[in-house]
Amino acid sequence: MITTAVVFDHRGRTKKNQPGPLEIRVTVNRKPYYINTGVRVLRAEYKHGVVVDRPDSNELNERLNIVGRKVEHEINECIDKGMAVDVAEIRRRVLDVGTGGGSDFLDWVDERIEIIRPTLADGTMKHYKTLRNKLWEYGKLRRWQDVTVDGILMWDSWLHTLKKPLTKNQEKMGMKPELLGDAGVYNYHKNLKKLLYIAKKVKVIKENPYEDLKGEFKRGDKENVEYLTEDEMYAIINLEVQRGSHLDIVRDMFVMQMFTGMAYADLMKFDINDYKEVDGKWVTNADRVKSGVAFVAHLLPPVVEVLKKYGMQVPRVSNQVYNRSLKK
């Protein structure tokens, strides 16, 4: 059984008094799929299946009817030819995704993030979710036509008006939030650039605007990077803490990072079975979790000592708890 209906923002992401998307819901054997019509209205402006109380109501309703008729036509074509109803293919035909004409960029971002989710570390997935939320909040990179060099530059200007969120302790201390720095803004551009690279690769768009913006966005000042001296490293190693305590576990994890160069994500994926003991040394060939870059490494004595303490396994601590404990 196949049914269609126009619904308002099925994801429920639209904030109060903000316009949200009208979508065509195609239900195939009780499973719903959604096609964005490109029409955005306030919740109160869509009643009983039509747009109301707007000077452009007639125009928007006609657009809904046109998209609806196209969807119905494609469904009927599939039925007449005895083909399975492929809503993704219907969406491409109706919205002309290949040329970017009329398709909804924000919906594509949502869908693509879900597709690549299994390949991402938890921390990286969190960054993509934040990017998605900020794109929806910004609202001006909504359609593929908006994703231009000028559109990206305007997005950059808006990002520089954002403020860093305060921690609970900072709020209690009455601290005022600071503006997002170049490094924070750069991370948004980095992840959006990756998504647009995918969009070009799968021929959703012909050009990635970031290709014309090389060197435009700064990573932030990394000239004066702080690092631990050898004395500081051994001060951490020799720090007397209660054995088995949170601080003891976190200290041991950091020792592993100091002597392997592993990022937190790599540490959480550590498995001694990936290593082989060769001439008394544990050696491995592997790939970085976040970058996929191959590397060869062997475990130095301080690392082996930590692993033996925990039965050749790495203790599991959330990133938030880990960072908080490291500060202590």
Side-chain angles (χ1 to χ4, degrees):
M1 183 177 179
I2 302 170
T3 61
T4 62
V6 178
V7 297
F8 179 88
D9 184 19
H10 83 278
R11 292 185 176 87
R13 291 200 181 113
T14 302
K15 295 181 180 179
K16 189 176 181 180
N17 299 324
Q18 293 291 321
L22 290 179
E23 304 158 297
I24 296 179
R25 181 178 64 211
V26 180
T27 305
V28 181
N29 296 327
R30 298 185 179 180
K31 185 173 182 179
Y33 302 86
Y34 297 87
I35 299 174
N36 199 299
T37 63
V39 176
R40 294 177 74 87
V41 297
L42 297 175
R43 189 179 296 274
E45 293 172 340
Y46 185 68
K47 297 179 180 178
H48 310 298
V50 293
V51 177
V52 297
D53 300 329
R54 289 176 60 108
D56 57 352
S57 291
N58 290 337
E59 178 186 339
L60 295 182
N61 282 320
E62 179 59 21
R63 191 186 306 175
L64 289 175
N65 288 334
I66 291 172
V67 177
R69 286 196 296 269
K70 286 184 177 180
V71 172
E72 292 286 352
H73 173 75
E74 293 294 338
I75 291 173
N76 290 335
E77 282 281 303
C78 292
I79 293 173
D80 289 343
K81 295 177 181 179
M83 299 166 54
V85 175
D86 184 342
V87 179
E89 180 61 26
I90 290 175
R91 184 188 293 114
R92 281 191 287 273
R93 291 178 182 173
V94 170
L95 300 180
D96 192 17
V97 174
T99 60
S103 63
D104 192 288
F105 169 63
L106 292 181
D107 273 359
W108 183 87
V109 168
D110 282 350
E111 292 172 4
R112 182 54 56 172
I113 288 176
E114 290 305 311
I115 289 172
I116 63 177
R117 174 194 288 269
T119 67
L120 302 177
D122 291 342
T124 306
M125 185 62 197
K126 183 178 179 181
H127 292 316
Y128 275 106
K129 285 183 177 179
T130 302
L131 168 66
R132 177 179 61 189
N133 292 340
K134 289 303 177 187
L135 284 170
W136 278 95
E137 183 180 336
Y138 177 60
K140 294 181 181 178
L141 292 179
R142 180 170 62 84
R143 298 167 66 79
W144 284 107
Q145 297 96 311
D146 305 325
V147 187
T148 62
V149 169
D150 188 46
I152 297 297
L153 290 173
M154 291 175 65
W155 155 251
D156 177 74
S157 297
W158 180 79
L159 287 172
H160 277 93
T161 68
L162 300 180
K163 294 181 178 180
K164 298 178 184 178
L166 295 175
T167 64
K168 290 183 179 180
N169 286 337
Q170 289 173 330
E171 289 178 352
K172 289 179 181 178
M173 295 169 63
M175 295 178 64
K176 294 182 179 180
E178 299 177 352
L179 288 175
L180 196 63
D182 284 342
V185 170
Y186 178 83
N187 284 330
Y188 283 109
H189 283 299
K190 179 180 70 174
N191 291 324
L192 181 55
K193 181 180 178 180
K194 288 179 181 177
L195 289 176
L196 292 179
Y197 169 80
I198 295 173
K200 182 178 178 181
K201 190 173 182 180
V202 299
K203 302 188 184 308
V204 172
I205 56 176
K206 293 180 180 178
E207 300 295 335
N208 181 346
Y210 278 101
E211 292 173 357
D212 294 324
L213 291 168
K214 291 180 180 178
E216 184 71 29
F217 309 114
K218 308 297 182 185
R219 286 176 173 264
D221 181 16
K222 290 196 173 184
E223 292 182 5
N224 299 316
V225 177
E226 293 185 13
Y227 59 89
L228 294 178
T229 65
E230 189 171 0
D231 288 343
E232 289 170 334
M233 288 175 62
Y234 281 99
I236 292 174
I237 293 172
N238 297 323
L239 180 67
E240 292 187 4
V241 293
Q242 182 179 351
R243 187 176 178 84
S245 66
H246 237 39
L247 290 182
D248 185 36
I249 293 171
V250 166
R251 186 265 309 279
D252 290 340
M253 291 170 63
F254 191 65
V255 168
M256 287 194 66
Q257 284 191 277
M258 288 194 298
F259 286 94
T260 61
M262 288 184 184
Y264 172 83
D266 295 299
L267 193 64
M268 290 299 96
K269 297 287 185 180
F270 179 88
D271 187 344
I272 193 63
N273 293 319
D274 295 332
Y275 288 74
K276 293 182 179 180
E277 195 169 10
V278 180
D279 297 329
K281 294 181 179 180
W282 291 89
V283 182
T284 186
N285 295 292
D287 297 329
R288 294 289 185 194
V289 171
K290 293 180 71 172
S291 65
V293 175
F295 69 96
V296 179
H298 76 269
L299 303 180
L300 296 172
V303 177
V304 176
E305 188 175 332
V306 168
L307 287 171
K308 287 180 177 178
K309 182 176 175 180
Y310 298 96
M312 301 306 285
Q313 295 180 342
V314 177
R316 293 292 188 265
V317 174
S318 73
N319 200 11
Q320 185 179 9
V321 172
Y322 185 54
N323 288 330
R324 187 167 63 239
S325 299
L326 278 177
K327 289 179 180 179
K328 290 183 181 180

